[in-house]
Amino acid sequence: QVQLVESGGGLMQPGGSLRLSCATSGFMFSLSTMSWYRQAPGKEREWVAKIDILGSRDYSDSVKGRFTISRDNAKNMVYLQMNSLNAEDTAVYYCNTRMRAADYWGQGTQVTVSS
């Protein structure tokens, strides 16, 4: 059974940093591309970043240069380091993997950026 469990969200002031974690189980993590998405209030879920099995990274334009995705295949973990946070980053952040055309999601972790 595929399980994705996000953690690390919270309340942060503008300009601050947070590191999100996603613990995974139930699938071949090292052979899976992993992604982060987010959903702000009243908006559709949007893709944020992904890292493939070779460690190649890609980011949405809105977070490029501020966020860094990484993975630890030994621990079956994926991370999202978020720097220079601003109010537009406020959202629920979700860990994602796709296998055989099916998307798997965690429960999400809330990130709120406010002064």
Side-chain angles (χ1 to χ4, degrees):
Q1 180 181 359
V2 176
Q3 288 194 321
L4 307 172
V5 180
E6 302 94 336
S7 61
L11 175 63
M12 181 55 61
Q13 291 187 340
S17 298
L18 279 175
R19 186 195 195 207
L20 306 184
S21 300
C22 176
T24 77
S25 62
F27 64 103
M28 292 293 291
F29 178 81
S30 61
L31 300 181
S32 301
T33 292
M34 299 300 300
S35 300
W36 285 95
Y37 285 73
R38 67 186 181 185
Q39 188 166 17
K43 295 186 177 181
E44 293 187 353
R45 192 171 298 188
E46 65 170 350
W47 170 74
V48 173
K50 70 176 181 180
I51 184 167
D52 69 14
I53 63 174
L54 298 179
S56 179
R57 301 171 173 88
D58 198 10
Y59 302 93
S60 67
D61 287 343
S62 61
V63 308
K64 196 172 295 182
R66 300 187 299 121
F67 290 12
T68 302
I69 188 171
S70 61
R71 65 189 300 158
D72 185 335
N73 289 342
K75 296 181 179 180
N76 292 346
M77 297 283 294
V78 61
Y79 306 97
L80 186 67
Q81 177 67 43
M82 307 186 296
N83 299 329
S84 301
L85 286 163
N86 58 59
E88 288 69 41
D89 297 316
T90 295
V92 177
Y93 284 72
Y94 297 92
C95 184
N96 164 273
T97 193
R98 175 172 290 185
M99 289 179 291
R100 294 182 291 276
D103 278 305
Y104 295 87
W105 304 92
Q107 83 289 350
T109 186
Q110 175 71 48
V111 172
T112 302
V113 183
S114 174
S115 55

